[in-house]
Amino acid sequence: MTQRTRTLRNAAVVGVSTALLGITAPVTASAASRPAEPLVWTACQGTGLDPRQQCATLRVPMDHADPDGPRIDIAVSRIPSENPDARRGVLLLIAGGPGGSSLNDPSGKGRKLPQDVRDTYDLIGLAPRGLAPSTPVDCGLEHADLATSRLRPWPSPDGSVDEAMATARRTADACARNGGELIKHLSTANEARDIDLLRAALGERRISAWGTSYGTYVGAVYAQKFPHRTDRVLLDSVDDPDPARVNRAWLAAHEQGVEDTFPHFAAWAAEPGNPDRLARRAADVRPMFLRLAARLDREPIPWPGANPEELNGNVLRQTMLDSLYSPSRYPTLARLMRAAQEGTLPPAPQAPPEAVLQNVTAVGAGTLCNDVAWPTSQAVYEKGVAESRAKYPLTAGMPRNAMLCAAWPYPQREAPVRITDEGPSNIMLLSNERDVATPLAGALKMREALGRRAVLVTVDSTGHNPYLANGNACGDETASRFLATGQRPGTDAYCR
C-alpha cells in the first residue's frame, strides 16, 4: 500500500484504454442483498500521507449475482471531517482510468479542497476491484506490449491495422491465461455495486461523490443504478455515456480532443521568450509536428532504455497525446521534438515498475472489455482508420483502431448501463472547453442523457480535470460551492 499504491494511481495518467465482445444473462442480484461487513480502520502505511488518513478493507462478492460465493478485498481509506459539527456525510473520490486508484486521494487531492468542503465530509478513497492493494489481477503481458504506444492502438506508418489486430489477439489470450476468475468480473457496473456496499459499510444512507475522467462514468452509473442513495455528485472531465459504444467512444474522442487542444500548444510553442519555443508562428507548429512524425516513421532514432527502444513516429504521437493532458506538460513534447530534429534524445522516460503496469493494464482491459462489445472484423477497423487518418492527421487513425477487446474471449454478462434523466436533480458536470481526453462534446452528450438531473458548467480553460487542477477560479468556486452547500447554477453556465 505504500509507493506501489501511489504509483498505481499515477500510472492511470497513461489512460490504459481497451474494449470488448460477447453477451449472456444480466446480473440481477442487489448489491445490498447481504449485510455489509463492518470496516476496521487502522493507520495507513506509507510516506507522505496525512497522518489522519485511515485505511480498511471491504469484503465484497467477486460475482454480485452470487453474493454468497467467493469474496474479494477492496482497499479503502478515509480522512474524517475536520469539523464534526458541520459534517454532512461522506465524499467519495472516484479516480479515472480504468486502472486508477483514489486510495491516497484523501491525503493528496483532499489537501486542495477548500476548508468548508473538508468540514462537510469525511473524504473517502478506494482502490477499485482488481487494483492492488485490493485483490489484484494480472494479464502477464510481454514487456513490449506494456509500452504506452502499444497500449494505444497506433496503426502502422502506412495505416495498416494488421499489427493492432495481432496485438489484440496476443494480449487478450494472455489475459485469458493469466487473469483468473476475477478478470471476468471487472466492470463499471460491478464497481458501482462495490461502492454501494461501501456506502452501507460506512453507515451512510446517501453518498456524495467527486468523479474525474473515467470516474465520471462510474459516478453516472452509480447514480443511475442507485439514484436515491446519492447526495451531491460532481462529475469532472466528463465521459460520453453512449451505451452502444462506451469506451470505443472515449477512444474516438481523442480525434476531437487533440484538434481542440493542439492549437493551444502551438500558440505556447511560438511565444517569444519561451525557452522551449519551436517556431516563430503558431501556424508553423502543426506542419512541423506532422513532418517530424512522418520522418520518424521512416527513420526511427535509437532510444536505449525506453519501451520500445526507439523514438518512432507513433512514440512521438503518443508523447503528444500525453503532453496535451495539461499545459504543464507542454515542455516534454517541445523538448522531444527539438531533440529529434537535432538527432539527439533526452534520457529515456522513467516508467512505473513493470508489476504496477501489469496490474493497471489488466484492470483497464478487464473493465472495458467486460463493459461493451467491440467489432471483431478487421474490415471495420480498416475502414475507420482510413477515414480517421484523412480527417484527423494528428492522431493518425489511432482513435478508431482495434484494441484487445476486439479479441476478448469472455461473453458479456450484462448490457451497458443506459444513463437517463430518472432520479434526483443533484448532479453537476464540469468540463473544460479544450480537453484532449474528455472533450466538451462528450460532456454535452452526458448532459443530454441526464436531462433535468444535471447542470453543465463549461470552463474556458485547457487541459484534463478542471476542478482544482487545469480549470479556472470561476469553475473551482462553482464546484466548491456545490459540494459545500448543494447550490448549483440555475441553468447551464460558462466560466470565463
Side-chain angles (χ1 to χ4, degrees), residues 87-317:
R87 183 187 183 278
R88 178 182 178 86
V90 300
L91 178 67
L92 176 65
L93 311 178
I94 311 176
S101 172
S102 65
L103 193 65
N104 287 342
D105 282 355
S107 290
K109 293 171 72 171
R111 291 191 176 113
K112 298 182 179 180
L113 288 166
Q115 187 66 51
D116 54 355
V117 177
R118 302 200 308 269
D119 289 345
T120 302
Y121 302 104
D122 298 348
L123 305 180
I124 306 295
L126 83 163
R129 58 171 48 212
L131 190 66
S134 300
T135 303
V137 294
D138 190 320
C139 287
L141 300 184
E142 297 175 11
H143 175 73
D145 288 331
L146 292 171
T148 310
S149 58
R150 184 72 65 80
L151 294 171
R152 295 291 178 94
W154 296 97
S156 299
D158 63 357
S160 169
V161 305
D162 290 349
E163 185 176 349
M165 292 297 292
T167 299
R169 291 188 291 270
R170 183 175 61 253
T171 52
D173 287 348
C175 287
R177 286 194 310 272
N178 304 314
E181 184 67 19
L182 177 54
I183 203 165
K184 305 175 188 178
H185 300 282
L186 302 179
S187 70
T188 304
N190 279 339
E191 184 172 344
R193 295 179 178 106
D194 294 343
I195 287 171
D196 202 53
L197 287 178
L198 174 59
R199 174 201 58 78
L202 291 167
E204 298 293 327
R205 186 172 62 88
R206 296 186 298 170
I207 193 169
S208 293
W210 170 19
T212 59
S213 195
Y214 164 71
T216 66
Y217 183 63
V218 176
V221 168
Y222 182 81
Q224 186 67 38
K225 298 183 75 65
F226 306 100
H228 297 293
R229 296 173 186 169
T230 60
D231 189 9
R232 299 166 185 165
V233 179
L234 174 64
L235 304 183
D236 165 12
S237 294
V238 186
D239 269 326
D240 180 350
D242 180 359
R245 302 180 71 207
V246 190
N247 48 303
R248 285 186 65 211
W250 307 340
L251 185 67
H254 285 307
E255 293 173 337
Q256 190 61 52
V258 167
E259 291 296 332
D260 290 346
T261 309
F262 195 90
H264 191 265
F265 164 76
W268 170 89
E271 287 179 355
N274 180 354
D276 296 306
R277 191 182 190 191
L278 294 174
R280 292 183 178 276
R281 300 186 311 155
D284 295 332
V285 177
R286 180 187 179 103
M288 176 189 296
F289 176 86
L290 292 172
R291 286 194 304 269
L292 180 59
R295 193 191 89 194
L296 292 170
D297 283 336
R298 299 186 303 269
E299 303 170 1
I301 301 173
W303 204 359
N307 186 15
E309 290 200 332
E310 65 177 26
L311 175 61
N312 57 41
N314 284 339
V315 172
L316 180 68
R317 294 180 184 102

